[in-house]
Amino acid sequence: RGGAQLGAATRGGVTPAHRAAATGHAAVLEALARAGAPLDEPDANGCTPVHVAAGAGQPAALEALAQAGARLGAHNVVGVTPAHAAAVNGQLAALEVLVRAGAPLGERGVDGNTPVHAAAAEGHVAVLEALARAGAALGAPNNAGVTAAHYAAAGGHVAVLEALARAGAALGAPNNAGVTAAHYAAACGHAAALEALARLGAPLSEPDGDGETPAHAAALEGQSDALEVLARAGAALGAPNKTGVTPAHMAAALELAATLEALARAGTPRDAPDADGNTPAHFAASEGHLATLEALARRGTPLGVPNKRGATPAHAAASRGHAAALEALARAGAPLDAPDADGNTPAHFAA
C-alpha cells in the first residue's frame, strides 16, 4: 500500500520472494503474490524462489508458489530445475509437492544430468523411488553416457542400486567410454556395491573402450577388497586390455604388492605377457619396485622371461639404474647376463 518495491533484488539477485521461500514463510509468499510481486525472478545463479524452496525442503512455500502460478520447471545457469534441487538435497516432501503440481521431472542440466542422477549420486533412495513412481526415466544417460547406476556405484550406494534394480533399470549399461557401474564401484573400492551388482545380475567382466575390465579398474587403484569380490563372483581377473596389459601388470607397475597378492590368491597368471611380451616382472623391474618383485618371487613367478625383443626384467632394471631391483632378481635366481635379440646383456644396458 505504501508503494514499496516488493520485487527489489540484492546485488546477488535475491528478492523478498527468495527469502520467504528459503525460510518456508508461505503466508508471506501469498501476500507477495497478491501484491503482484515477481515470483519467478532468478538470482545471480539463475535460481528462482521455487528452486530455493525445493532445495531447502520447504513444501508449504512450494505449495504457495505453485498456487500463485510460479514456474516449476525453470532452469538455473547450469540447467538445474527445482526437481534437481529437491533430489540432490534429499528433500522428499518438496519433491512430492512438485510431482503433485505437475513439475517436469526429467529435465536435463547442462551436463545432461536429470533429477534421477542427482538422487542416485547422493544416495537418496526415497527420493529416487518417488521419482520412479512418478514415471521418471531411471536409466537415462547424461551427456557422457553416465546413468544413475554409475553414480550409485561410484558412491557405494547399495540401497540405490537395489532400488534401481527393483524398478527395472539396467545396471550394466556402459557410458560413452564403455565404462560400466562395476568399473566405477571397483575403482572406488566399494566392495559392498560390487557384491550388490553381482547379486543383481550386472556384468562384472565387460571391457571398456580400452579393453579394460572392472578388475583393471580395481588394480589401477589398488583396491584389493574389490578384487576379492570380483574373484568370488567369477569375474575375469586376468583378461588383457587392448595392449595386452592385465590387472597384474598394472599392480606391478604401481608397486601394489597387496593387490598383486590378491590377484595371485584368485589364481590369475602372474607371468602373462602384454602385446610386447612384457610380464608383470618387467613392469616392476622397470620401476624399481622391490616389494613387488619379492612378492612375485614368493609366489614362484619366473622372473627371467624375455619379452619379444629378448629383454628380461634384469634388462629393464639395469636400463633404469635400479640396483636394488637387480639384487632382488639375483636372489630369486633370475638370469642377469642373458642377451636380448641384439646380443645386449643387462650390463650393456647399465653401461
Side-chain angles (χ1 to χ4, degrees):
R1 287 195 298 269
Q5 292 288 326
L6 299 183
T10 67
R11 289 181 181 177
V14 176
T15 66
H18 285 92
R19 299 283 193 207
T23 50
H25 292 144
V28 173
L29 287 167
E30 290 167 354
L32 288 169
R34 287 195 299 272
L39 301 181
D40 288 325
E41 285 297 304
D43 64 14
N45 295 316
C47 292
T48 67
V50 177
H51 282 94
V52 173
Q58 300 291 359
L62 273 178
E63 292 273 12
L65 287 164
Q67 289 171 7
R71 291 176 59 206
L72 303 181
H75 291 244
N76 70 9
V77 294
V78 292
V80 166
T81 66
H84 285 90
V88 75
N89 290 313
Q91 302 294 359
L92 179 60
L95 183 75
E96 289 173 336
V97 171
L98 291 170
V99 170
R100 289 195 299 272
L105 304 178
E107 295 292 296
R108 297 173 179 272
V110 294
D111 54 8
N113 284 336
T114 67
V116 168
H117 288 93
E122 298 300 326
H124 297 313
V125 181
V127 170
L128 187 78
E129 290 174 335
L131 287 165
R133 288 193 298 272
L138 301 185
N142 67 11
N143 296 347
V146 174
T147 67
H150 286 93
Y151 278 120
H157 301 310
V158 173
V160 172
L161 289 170
E162 292 171 341
L164 288 168
R166 285 195 300 273
L171 301 183
N175 67 12
N176 294 351
V179 176
T180 67
H183 285 87
Y184 277 52
C188 296
H190 294 311
L194 271 177
E195 288 171 344
L197 288 167
R199 190 173 63 251
L200 297 168
L204 302 183
S205 300
E206 284 297 303
D208 64 14
D210 295 320
E212 294 183 356
T213 66
H216 284 91
L220 185 62
E221 299 298 333
Q223 304 293 3
S224 299
D225 289 347
L227 285 169
E228 300 277 7
V229 172
L230 289 168
R232 289 196 298 272
L237 301 189
N241 66 13
K242 287 185 175 180
T243 60
V245 171
T246 68
H249 287 93
M250 288 181 165
L254 297 170
E255 200 173 16
L256 300 170
T259 301
L260 204 58
E261 289 283 358
L263 288 164
R265 287 193 297 273
T268 57
R270 298 175 300 284
D271 56 355
D274 67 8
D276 296 318
N278 292 312
T279 66
H282 285 87
F283 279 57
S286 178
E287 299 298 329
H289 294 328
L290 186 60
T292 302
L293 286 170
E294 290 172 341
L296 288 167
R298 283 195 302 274
R299 290 281 180 174
T301 308
L303 300 184
V305 178
N307 65 16
K308 289 183 177 179
R309 299 182 304 278
T312 66
H315 287 87
S319 68
R320 302 286 294 276
H322 296 310
L326 280 168
E327 290 171 352
L329 289 166
R331 286 194 300 274
L336 300 186
D337 56 1
D340 66 11
D342 297 320
N344 292 311
T345 67
H348 287 89
F349 279 67

